[in-house]
């Protein structure tokens, strides 16, 4: 069973993704980038689905770490856009530095499910 | 009066003797029944009369004795009364001395209290001025800023907003840069494909040239010219391959630079993310807190100012109330004067007692007492002049 690491500081979002993907994949949950980075040091994940705006370590730094620690791990970035209007739209940045797919919250769960299935096929 | 009683007593005895003679005369004339009745009547009357006369004589004697004794005793009264008056006079002198001492002590204490209260009042006034200064500082408003309608807090918020705007503009430029880099990435990927195509074409050209060379060799002498062309084509194919390799090498450099640029952008975005995470909201929150605290400080300083005003007013009342020293001084002087009058009254009463004992003219004694009564009455009326009972403002009416 493919391993997925879901990283989001919002507990409801972690729970939603766990329910969505838990039946088909081995899902691990982390509340921030730092926690995720520590898990990445001990476990090899096939896919990381990460939020961008998080405490401790943000999603951009986490993506950079993933590329260095585990280049083969695929990455999906998701975000509500975040930040002050007119400043960075972090999702394109995430894509620029290595996220294969991006999801702007709120998104259709079925699309996420289909994308994950496609990436891990 | 005793002489009169004695005279009356002698007359009665003469009457008894007359009646007794009459009884002897009746006996001589042998008028016995009538004589006996008459004698019995005389005897009874005489007995009764003699008894009362005896009693009367005793009372007269006693009265004289009592009067003498009483007079003797009364002779002591003037001395005793004088002693009492003397003691009272000493007491009154002591009271006067105490009043003088009390005035002195009160006066000193009150002068010190007035000085102290004046000092407190001055300090409170200075404190109030300082507080007013602090209020002005706390609200960060000076006269120029009041004219402009701005405060330090507003200015700080404005600066923060300008900084945030600048950062936002930088962010917009960065977003544009991200878009450019994304486009470049797409184009580099397209170039990758084209380079692959060029490589493929080179390989096919090389293969074609090789085949052409083989076919030229088979053709022999006729194919020599064609072989030269095929060789040139192979050479061109090699040069194309080399050229494509060199482009690919440059392209890798571009991709690497592109990745570095993406990394830099990522770093900027990461910092921005951390900064963005509630930073501006927090700045607003802090500024609100600062503003709120300033308002609280201003409010509390205002309260302190109000309290200072109250204290100042209270001290003013206290200072005003200390003027009771003047009133008390006048009252004690009045008390002194009144006890003096009392002293004189004692003297008059003492003299009156002496005069009565020495059987002076009662009218004279009464006049003396009337004079003393008038003095006391005057003293009582004098009390009415000082009717200051409280220390409230406007109630002071000194005599």
């Amino acid at each position: 069973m493919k391993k997925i690491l879901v990283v989001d500081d919002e507990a409801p979002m972690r729970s939603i993704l766990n329910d969505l993907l838990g039946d088909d994949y081995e899902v691990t949950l982390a509340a921030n980038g730092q926690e995720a980075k520590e898990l990445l040091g001990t476990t090899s994940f096939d896919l990381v689905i990460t939020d961008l705006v998080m405490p401790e370590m943000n999603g951009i730094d986490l993506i950079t770490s993933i590329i260095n620690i585990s280049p083969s791990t695929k990455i999906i970035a998701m975000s509500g856009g975040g930040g002050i209007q007119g400043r960075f739209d972090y999702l394109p940045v995430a894509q620029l530095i290595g996220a294969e797919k991006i999801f702007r919250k709120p998104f259709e769960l079925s699309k996420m499910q289909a994308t994950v299935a496609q990436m891990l096929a | 009066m005793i002489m009169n009683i004695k005279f009356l007593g002698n007359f009665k005895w003469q009457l008894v003797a007359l009646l007794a003679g009459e009884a002897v005369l009746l006996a001589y004339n042998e008028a016995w029944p009538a004589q006996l009745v008459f004698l019995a009547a005389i005897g009874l009357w005489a007995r009764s009369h003699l008894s009362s006369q005896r009693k009367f004589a005793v009372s007269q004697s006693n009265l004289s004795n009592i009067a003498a004794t009483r007079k003797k005793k009364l002779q002591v009264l003037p001395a005793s009364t004088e002693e009492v008056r003397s003691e009272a006079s000493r007491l009154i002198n002591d009271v006067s001395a105490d009043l003088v001492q009390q005035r002195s002590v009160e006066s000193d204490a009150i002068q010190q209290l007035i000085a102290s209260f004046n000092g407190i009042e001055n300090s409170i006034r200075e404190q109030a001025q300082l507080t007013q200064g602090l209020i002005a500082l706390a609200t960060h408003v000076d006269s120029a800023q009041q004219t402009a309608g701005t405060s330090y807090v507003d200015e700080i918020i404005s600066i923060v907003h300008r900084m945030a705007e600048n950062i936002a503009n930088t962010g917009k430029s960065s977003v544009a840069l991200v878009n450019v880099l994304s486009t470049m990435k797409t184009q580099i990927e397209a170039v990758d494909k084209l380079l692959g195509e060029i490589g493929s074409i080179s390989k096919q050209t090389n293969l074609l040239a090789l085949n052409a060379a083989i076919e030229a060799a088979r053709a022999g002498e006729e194919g020599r010219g064609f072989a030269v062309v095929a060789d040139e084509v192979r050479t061109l194919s090699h040069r194309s391959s080399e050229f494509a390799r060199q482009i690919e090498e440059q392209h890798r450099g571009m991709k690497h630079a592109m990745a570095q640029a993406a990394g830099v952008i990522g770093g900027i975005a990461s910092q921005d993310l951390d900064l963005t995470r509630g930073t501006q909201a927090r700045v607003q929150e802090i500024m609100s807190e600062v503003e709120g605290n300033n308002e609280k400080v201003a409010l509390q300083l205002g309260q302190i100012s109000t309290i200072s005003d109250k204290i100042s007013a209270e001290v003013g009342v206290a200072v005003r109330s200390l003027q009771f020293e003047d009133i008390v001084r006048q009252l004690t002087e009045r008390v002194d004067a009144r006890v003096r009058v009392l002293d004189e009254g004692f003297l008059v009463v003492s003299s009156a007692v002496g005069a009565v004992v020495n059987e002076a003219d009662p009218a004279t004694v009464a006049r003396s007492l009337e004079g003393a009564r008038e003095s006391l009455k005057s003293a009582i009326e004098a009390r009415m002049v000082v009717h200051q009972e409280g220390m409230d403002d406007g109630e002071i009416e000194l005599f």
Side-chain angles (χ1 to χ4, degrees):
Chain A
M1 188 177 276
K2 297 283 178 71
K3 291 179 181 174
I4 298 175
L5 175 60
V6 172
V7 191
D8 201 306
D9 58 333
E10 297 290 335
M13 196 65 203
R14 293 198 298 271
S15 180
I16 287 168
L17 290 176
N18 191 31
D19 291 345
L20 181 71
L21 306 168
D23 291 342
D24 301 320
Y25 309 97
E26 188 180 327
V27 178
T28 304
L29 304 175
N32 56 62
Q34 188 59 41
E35 205 176 306
K37 191 179 172 186
E38 287 166 10
L39 286 166
L40 283 162
T42 57
T43 310
S44 178
F45 292 95
D46 298 293
L47 173 67
V48 174
I49 303 173
T50 181
D51 188 20
L52 296 181
V53 185
M54 292 183 294
E56 303 295 331
M57 179 188 274
N58 63 61
I60 297 292
D61 281 346
L62 178 62
I63 292 168
T64 307
S65 295
I66 293 167
I67 290 165
N68 290 326
I69 296 168
S70 176
S72 62
T73 301
K74 295 179 186 298
I75 301 164
I76 294 176
M78 56 182 179
S79 178
I84 301 163
Q85 196 176 5
R87 299 181 70 176
F88 278 109
D89 184 356
Y90 301 106
L91 285 170
V93 177
Q95 196 169 27
L96 185 68
I97 63 171
E100 201 166 311
K101 298 286 180 186
I102 53 172
F103 279 81
R104 197 177 295 279
K105 293 177 184 175
F107 51 79
E108 292 288 335
L109 293 177
S110 57
K111 282 186 182 173
M112 172 62 85
Q113 197 171 26
T115 302
V116 170
Q118 185 192 344
M119 288 172 74
L120 296 180
Chain B
M1 187 162 180
I2 295 167
M3 295 295 289
N4 291 340
I5 293 169
K6 283 178 179 175
F7 173 77
L8 187 62
N10 291 339
F11 174 75
K12 283 178 180 175
W13 281 112
Q14 284 176 358
L15 186 60
V16 169
L18 183 65
L19 288 170
E22 189 63 25
V24 170
L25 188 62
L26 284 170
Y28 182 76
N29 291 330
E30 294 178 345
W32 291 106
Q35 288 167 2
L36 285 173
V37 170
F38 187 71
L39 284 170
I42 288 172
L44 286 170
W45 177 80
R47 187 179 174 183
S48 143
H49 192 72
L50 283 170
S51 173
S52 66
Q53 282 291 339
R54 235 184 347 262
K55 284 181 183 172
F56 181 75
V58 169
S59 296
Q60 289 288 331
S61 172
N62 283 347
L63 192 59
S64 298
N65 289 336
I66 287 166
T69 307
R70 194 169 177 186
K71 187 174 182 181
K72 193 178 176 183
K73 285 181 179 173
L74 282 173
Q75 289 297 330
V76 182
L77 275 181
S80 301
T81 310
E82 178 53 29
E83 281 173 12
V84 170
R85 192 203 68 78
S86 177
E87 290 298 326
S89 186
R90 273 200 296 274
L91 189 62
I92 285 165
N93 284 335
D94 288 348
V95 168
S96 293
D98 286 349
L99 287 172
V100 169
Q101 191 180 357
Q102 180 195 336
R103 280 202 298 274
S104 172
V105 170
E106 272 177 3
S107 181
D108 286 349
I110 287 163
Q111 289 307 317
Q112 286 179 12
L113 281 171
I114 286 172
S116 174
F117 273 121
N118 283 334
I120 291 170
E121 198 171 19
N122 287 335
S123 298
I124 289 168
R125 199 173 294 116
E126 285 174 17
Q127 184 183 311
Q129 285 172 353
L130 287 172
T131 308
Q132 290 297 332
L134 284 172
I135 289 170
L137 280 175
T139 51
H140 296 285
V141 177
D142 60 23
S143 55
Q145 283 173 326
Q146 277 178 334
T147 308
T150 58
S151 69
Y152 288 133
V153 172
D154 290 340
E155 200 173 328
I156 290 167
I157 289 171
S158 171
I159 289 167
V160 169
H161 278 158
R162 282 205 299 275
M163 286 173 69
E165 199 175 334
N166 287 338
I167 293 169
N169 287 335
T170 307
K172 280 180 185 172
S173 302
S174 301
V175 168
L177 187 58
V178 168
N179 290 333
V180 169
L181 285 174
S182 294
T183 307
M184 279 177 68
K185 191 181 178 186
T186 309
Q187 288 173 343
I188 284 169
E189 283 167 358
V191 171
D192 258 345
K193 282 184 183 175
L194 291 174
L195 284 172
E197 196 68 24
I198 288 170
S200 176
I201 290 167
S202 292
K203 281 178 185 173
Q204 281 185 0
T205 306
N206 188 40
L207 192 61
L208 281 171
L210 191 63
N211 286 333
I214 291 166
E215 289 301 323
R218 278 184 188 162
E221 193 60 29
E222 288 85 2
R224 180 174 294 274
F226 189 71
V228 172
V229 173
D231 196 44
E232 284 299 318
V233 171
R234 277 191 67 195
T235 305
L236 281 173
S237 170
H238 284 142
R239 283 179 63 190
S240 294
S241 292
E242 179 60 22
F243 186 60
R245 191 192 61 75
Q246 285 177 358
I247 289 173
E248 204 174 327
E249 198 176 305
Q250 293 293 323
H251 186 65
R252 274 202 298 275
M254 282 175 67
K255 280 174 78 175
H256 182 67
M258 169 76 196
Q260 282 183 326
V264 170
I265 291 288
I268 294 169
S270 173
Q271 287 175 5
D272 189 78
L273 254 177
D274 292 336
L275 185 70
T276 302
R277 190 178 162 73
T279 302
Q280 198 183 40
R282 180 60 189 146
V283 169
Q284 290 281 11
E285 197 179 324
I286 289 167
M287 295 315 294
S288 297
E289 282 175 11
V290 168
E291 206 162 6
N293 285 339
N294 281 343
E295 283 173 8
K296 281 181 191 170
V297 168
L299 186 68
Q300 286 174 358
L301 284 172
Q303 287 172 345
I304 290 171
S305 181
T306 306
I307 290 167
S308 295
D309 290 345
K310 281 183 183 173
I311 293 171
S312 186
E314 294 293 338
V315 168
V317 171
V319 170
R320 194 181 68 229
S321 297
L322 286 175
Q323 295 172 35
F324 81 86
E325 183 265 345
D326 192 33
I327 296 164
V328 168
R329 182 182 58 75
Q330 294 177 70
L331 285 171
T332 52
E333 282 174 359
R334 181 59 58 187
V335 169
D336 194 17
R338 286 168 62 202
V339 294
R340 292 284 169 207
V341 171
L342 201 59
D343 192 21
E344 288 168 13
F346 269 116
L347 181 62
V348 171
V349 171
S350 172
S351 303
V353 170
V356 168
V357 169
N358 292 321
E359 297 181 357
D361 179 21
T364 307
V365 174
R367 274 198 300 279
S368 174
L369 286 172
E370 181 62 22
R373 195 182 71 79
E374 286 298 328
S375 294
L376 288 170
K377 190 179 173 186
S378 298
I380 290 165
E381 284 170 355
R383 184 189 62 181
M384 302 303 289
V385 177
V386 183
H387 48 74
Q388 179 67 19
E389 292 179 351
M391 292 308 301
D392 292 339
D393 192 17
E395 289 186 8
I396 298 168
E397 189 178 334
L398 305 178
F399 54 87

